[in-house]
Amino acid sequence: MNSAKAVQKSPSLLTTNLVFIGRSLRHSLRNVESLLMAILLPIFLMLLFTYVFGGAIDTTGQYVTYVVPGIILLCAGFGSSSTAIDVATDMTNGIIDRFRTMPIRAVSVVTGHVVASVARNMLATCIVIGVALLLGFQPEAGLSDWLFALGLVVLFILTYTWLFAAIGLVTGSPAAAGGYGFVLLFLPYLSSAFVPTNTMPSWLQGFANHQPITPVIEALRALLIGGPIGNNGWIALLWCAGILLLSLIWCAVAFRMRAGRR
Amino acid sequence: MNQNAIEVKGLVKSFGKAAILKGVNLTVPSGTIFALLGPNGAGKTTLIHILSTLTKLDEGSVKVAGFDVESEQKEVKRSISLTGQFAAVDELLTGAENLRMMCRLSGLSTDDANSRTRELLRQFDLEDAADKRAKAYSGGMRRRLDLAISLVTHRPVLFLDEPTTGLDTISRRTLWEMILGLKQQGITVFLTTQYLEEADELADEIAVIHGGRIVASGTADELKSRVGGEVIELRNSQDELIGTYPTSGGLADVRQVLNSAAHAFHPDTKITIRKPSMDDVFLALTSTATKEASIS
């Protein structure tokens, strides 16, 4: 006699989400390439910007302090981009069909990848800050500043991850999904992440000052090393919340198109 | 329990202008194995996707386990399990983790999930590979894991889309035994296949699908008799086919063929008696279907 039950229960939404989160976390730990990327990239970028570019950009030796928010966002961008590949893989290899024939909310499979991405990227963020401290980063933040800064970083990671999840849903293959994220990964370079925007040509300043990355960078910088935060906090929150909302809607629509009944 | 596990009436489905299913009718009694036999592009996968709620139907009615696939999707989903054409196992997870995950998603508690996982690993001979990642599994092991996943909880109706395509002979036989074992448990199995031999071995009833229509159905023996009996083939010393004769396979009939062949061909001519192959069935059934279509 086996223990298979005659009557079927559906698992709760919470159980479904927890199972998928567990699955994606296991994937993250076992996908050695992306795990190494999440750990090594922050270290290499910190060293690169501090020791290679830093001297030329800022001769006072304090560039490490200036660049920390930029490296955090750059790593978060890279780290969350693998979500597009994870989602596209699930959509193409047939496992999604099995989930869809089960009495569960199949879209939870995407939620699992998003939560795992946030976990991976928080690890990367901690590594950035840790390496920065070793290299002479001198934050001036109090406890509440740290909490606000971390909250903003989490919101930024969530936004980027859901956006990449949507890209993974609309692209045909994992390889294509990996390619489309390029534009998003390029955005931090065209912001105040690495150099003040007033050093850029005026036509570029217009873009750099008004794209979403700059207020996030400025808000983080103000929170971590002091200085006036101005409107940057609110503008950063609005940008992130707005893009997050649009990404969620895009994901819902794309999932229905991709994995809905036709 | 419903008498019929699956009832399909007048099923029509097209994607854009491409008509995939053009009026399919079929009935599968509970507790039997049903094989849908057909070449690539005949509409097998579309039909199995409609039966398993993945795809909407355009016209007709489809009932699975007594529930309507359009208006009672949730009930259908609770009654079925689908094993797709490509073994949909999670490659980065181990066999045991795959099973535990699917048990949890099927509503089992953690403890029940663990004990059910152990049972299934044993039943499908995967105990030694339980803690290896599915990526390292052979084709046969993946299919066995896939089938085990379909059985994490009792589902009265199981859909298997080309369960043995790409497997070697031994793995195929092992899987066949396991599928026959499911029937013993009272599970209705609906499978698609390109292989007559597979349908022959497993199915109580076979339907042949071609160009979106069921062109023939019946038991394996009925289908073969429609195609005709065995064939005597004559080959010359270069192994080229030089003659074929239909035969009942009986002694008198074979002797008569050989007597006449002995006058006409070289003494080195080689003789084989061949059973109808999948090709023969298709050629016979699909050519009549084309004729019927052109008359109507």
Side-chain angles (χ1 to χ4, degrees):
Chain A
M1 189 59 203
N2 60 44
S3 65
K5 301 284 194 312
V7 180
Q8 279 310 300
K9 288 190 305 181
S10 302
S12 69
L13 188 56
L14 179 67
T15 305
T16 307
N17 279 320
L18 287 178
V19 169
F20 281 125
I21 290 167
R23 167 180 185 256
S24 297
L25 285 175
R26 283 204 172 94
H27 280 197
S28 295
L29 288 174
R30 289 177 192 180
N31 194 336
V32 181
E33 294 87 356
S34 74
L35 191 64
L36 272 182
M37 183 87 159
I39 294 170
L40 293 181
L41 189 72
I43 300 174
F44 287 164
L45 284 178
M46 261 332 288
L47 293 172
L48 183 72
F49 277 94
T50 307
Y51 290 128
V52 180
F53 301 143
I57 298 170
D58 178 354
T59 48
T60 64
Q62 276 308 297
Y63 187 63
V64 58
T65 300
Y66 182 86
V67 85
V68 165
I71 305 284
I72 289 176
L73 295 201
L74 199 60
C75 289
F78 272 110
S80 47
S81 68
S82 63
T83 307
I85 299 168
D86 294 338
V87 170
T89 305
D90 274 352
M91 288 296 142
T92 46
N93 74 0
I95 204 163
I96 189 69
D97 284 346
R98 187 188 283 285
F99 293 144
R100 284 175 54 214
T101 55
M102 300 174 86
I104 56 170
R105 274 172 60 99
V107 73
S108 294
V109 74
V110 180
T111 313
H113 287 310
V114 169
V115 174
S117 165
V118 172
R120 272 197 319 267
N121 287 306
M122 287 313 292
L123 173 70
T125 302
C126 292
I127 294 172
V128 171
I129 293 170
V131 174
L133 289 170
L134 289 176
L135 299 183
F137 172 47
Q138 288 172 326
E140 305 277 339
L143 182 64
S144 65
D145 296 330
W146 274 111
L147 290 179
F148 277 121
L150 280 181
L152 186 55
V153 171
V154 171
L155 181 66
F156 178 84
I157 293 171
L158 264 180
T159 303
Y160 248 55
T161 303
W162 276 109
L163 197 51
F164 277 113
I167 290 173
L169 285 171
V170 293
T171 48
S173 70
Y180 280 101
F182 174 74
V183 176
L184 291 176
L185 299 182
F186 201 64
L187 276 184
Y189 294 105
L190 303 180
S191 75
S192 63
F194 303 109
V195 292
T197 54
N198 61 21
T199 61
M200 298 176 186
S202 58
W203 57 269
L204 194 53
Q205 280 186 37
F207 176 78
N209 285 332
H210 297 97
Q211 64 125 320
I213 303 282
T214 297
V216 179
I217 294 278
E218 290 304 318
L220 282 178
R221 196 169 277 142
L223 287 166
L224 292 180
I225 62 176
I229 191 166
N231 287 329
N232 287 317
W234 290 114
I235 297 173
L237 281 181
L238 281 177
W239 266 118
C240 287
I243 298 173
L244 177 58
L245 188 67
L246 288 178
S247 304
L248 285 169
I249 294 170
W250 191 16
C251 269
V253 173
F255 190 82
R256 190 161 288 211
M257 301 260 291
R258 192 67 192 270
R261 298 177 76 231
R262 277 181 293 273
Chain B
M1 184 63 207
N2 208 287
Q3 280 295 294
N4 289 325
I6 299 169
E7 288 176 8
V8 178
K9 285 182 193 140
L11 175 59
V12 173
K13 174 71 189 177
S14 47
F15 288 111
K17 281 182 181 166
I20 309 293
L21 300 174
K22 306 167 185 167
V24 170
N25 298 294
L26 57 88
T27 306
V28 180
S30 289
T32 62
I33 299 183
F34 183 92
L36 186 68
L37 188 65
N40 288 334
K44 296 194 298 292
T45 297
T46 302
L47 180 53
I48 220 167
H49 278 186
I50 289 173
L51 294 178
S52 58
T53 76
L54 285 177
T55 303
K56 279 182 190 163
L57 55 85
D58 292 346
E59 283 172 44
S61 83
V62 175
K63 282 194 170 182
V64 174
F67 301 110
D68 188 281
V69 293
E70 287 294 314
S71 61
E72 297 168 302
Q73 276 182 48
K74 192 137 197 174
E75 289 79 4
V76 172
K77 285 183 184 182
R78 285 183 183 150
S79 312
I80 63 164
S81 182
L82 167 71
T83 298
Q85 206 169 107
F86 309 100
V89 300
D90 191 321
E91 291 196 330
L92 286 172
L93 300 185
T94 67
E97 285 167 345
N98 264 291
L99 283 167
R100 264 200 298 276
M101 172 173 79
M102 293 302 179
C103 286
R104 296 287 285 134
L105 290 177
S106 302
L108 295 189
S109 69
T110 318
D111 286 347
D112 286 349
N114 286 333
S115 61
R116 184 69 185 136
T117 296
R118 279 193 296 276
E119 278 174 8
L120 286 167
L121 289 169
R122 196 167 50 238
Q123 185 183 341
F124 287 90
D125 197 19
L126 289 166
E127 281 171 306
D128 293 340
D131 297 321
K132 286 195 187 122
R133 291 187 197 173
K135 198 173 200 161
Y137 280 24
S138 69
M141 288 161 75
R142 287 173 73 104
R143 282 291 179 180
R144 265 155 38 214
L145 177 60
D146 208 22
L147 196 56
I149 287 171
S150 299
L151 298 169
V152 291
T153 50
H154 177 78
R155 311 275 175 170
V157 183
L158 200 59
F159 294 103
L160 306 175
D161 195 2
E162 301 199 7
T164 66
T165 298
L167 290 191
D168 61 59
T169 313
I170 296 172
S171 305
R172 175 170 295 161
R173 294 232 158 246
T174 313
L175 211 64
W176 284 352
E177 277 167 32
M178 288 170 174
I179 293 170
L180 286 168
L182 302 179
K183 188 179 146 186
Q184 302 301 317
Q185 298 176 30
I187 296 173
T188 309
V189 179
F190 182 106
L191 62 90
T192 66
T193 182
Q194 307 182 40
Y195 309 115
L196 180 66
E197 190 197 359
E198 180 160 292
D200 196 355
E201 195 84 17
L202 297 177
D204 299 298
E205 185 157 333
I206 300 168
V208 180
I209 187 168
H210 177 70
R213 286 193 179 86
I214 304 287
V215 293
S217 61
T219 63
D221 288 338
E222 285 166 4
L223 285 183
K224 279 186 204 159
S225 66
R226 281 189 63 162
V227 177
E230 297 169 22
V231 177
I232 296 176
E233 285 183 353
L234 304 181
R235 291 176 184 274
N236 65 16
S237 52
Q238 277 86 48
D239 208 32
E240 289 159 345
L241 194 62
I242 51 177
T244 54
Y245 298 89
T247 172
S248 68
L251 179 61
D253 194 51
V254 173
R255 179 155 53 194
Q256 197 187 341
V257 171
L258 294 186
N259 280 339
S260 54
H263 298 297
F265 296 105
H266 194 268
D268 284 348
T269 300
K270 293 185 179 61
I271 293 148
T272 45
I273 300 183
R274 186 169 64 77
K275 296 200 164 173
S277 67
M278 181 65 186
D279 291 340
D280 300 328
V281 171
F282 268 131
L283 287 174
L285 291 173
T286 56
S287 63
T288 45
T290 316
K291 271 181 225 153
E292 279 165 21
S294 60
I295 292 164
S296 61

